[in-house]
Amino acid sequence: GRNVFGKYIDVINTKTESPKYSDDFSIIDSDEYLEYFNKKNGFVLFSQDSFTFEDELNFKNIQNIDNYKFIGDINTNTKIIVGTNGEFADAIGSGVQILANQIIINGNIGANAKTISNKLELNGQSHKDSVILAKEAKIDILKGSLRGDKIVIGSVENGIIECNTLEINQINGGNLRAQNININELYYNSNIEFSRKCIVNNLKGGNNKIIFTPYGNLSLKKQINLLKTDLDSKDMEQQILQKKITSLIYKYSRFQSTANELKEMIKQYKEQNQEA
């Protein structure tokens, strides 16, 4: 067709080669299309004009603009190692989500980032608006939210933690909830809830709350919340039933009043007929 200057141009014939696939894929050729199946779990990579799978990925300074899905399979041997090449740059940038069986972060986690794994190692600090979900975690400094099973933290600074077993070197502000809690140094403004055992070796500040509660047990907390939801549902049903009963009583009272008036009118009518 014509270009922007009105001149005809010839179409350039280009040859497009189909991508290659490694032995990690099996290919089924049907009449209408090709089907590709992965033979193993991992991350899909495109390298040297070929698709393949890798169990382990290494990155530096992951950002949303990288346009890559850092999502693995949490139940396999997938592993992500993230570092940083700058003192002031986050290893995991704002808004990034990562999921893998094992995650090692050598640097900081940015705002609104979400990290999900079975095993997590954070050699840095998490932003106050970040979220970590991990069965086992070892963290230098926690400022955001964390939910897991067995957690070891160097320092908590206004972080929020829910887990079963928690070990902290020092905490200065935060909300903790666990079955067993072991704190080496407790400073100021912390709310601590536990269901089995809480040990504080050194109390160095004030305005702290330590509460013994079944909510420290995550499984019990879930059961209690389910029971509360069920009770709220039953209470709502009772309120609806009570409103129906009140409405029926009101209607019955009106009908009873009308019936008594009709009965009195019939009685007077009969008496008048007898006198006539």
Side-chain angles (χ1 to χ4, degrees), residues 17-28:
E17 295 184 0
S18 299
K20 300 176 182 178
Y21 292 83
S22 69
D23 294 336
D24 297 336
F25 293 86
S26 62
I27 304 173
I28 298 178

Side-chain angles (χ1 to χ4, degrees), residues 102-137:
Q102 184 178 2
I103 298 175
I104 299 175
I105 303 169
N106 298 310
N108 299 334
I109 298 177
N112 300 311
K114 189 172 185 180
T115 307
I116 305 171
S117 66
N118 282 325
K119 294 182 179 180
L120 172 74
E121 181 180 334
L122 173 58
N123 301 308
Q125 67 181 17
S126 64
H127 192 277
K128 65 181 181 66
D129 295 323
S130 65
V131 176
I132 296 174
L133 304 176
K135 289 185 178 180
E136 298 180 15

Side-chain angles (χ1 to χ4, degrees), residues 43 45 56-72 79-86 88-100 102-116 120:
F43 302 95
L45 298 180
E56 182 177 316
L57 297 180
N58 287 270
F59 296 99
K60 285 187 177 181
N61 307 106
I62 299 177
Q63 304 291 330
N64 260 337
I65 58 175
D66 294 331
N67 196 27
Y68 186 90
K69 300 294 183 182
F70 303 96
I71 305 297
K79 181 179 180 180
I80 296 179
I81 301 175
V82 187
T84 179
N85 55 12
F88 302 103
D90 292 329
I92 299 178
S94 176
V96 175
Q97 178 172 325
I98 294 182
L99 187 152
Q102 184 178 2
I103 298 175
I104 299 175
I105 303 169
N106 298 310
N108 299 334
I109 298 177
N112 300 311
K114 189 172 185 180
T115 307
I116 305 171
L120 172 74

Side-chain angles (χ1 to χ4, degrees), residues 2-17:
R2 296 180 184 272
N3 62 13
V4 293
F5 300 105
K7 294 180 61 178
Y8 279 100
I9 59 173
D10 295 327
V11 177
I12 300 174
N13 294 323
T14 58
K15 184 179 180 181
T16 303
E17 295 184 0

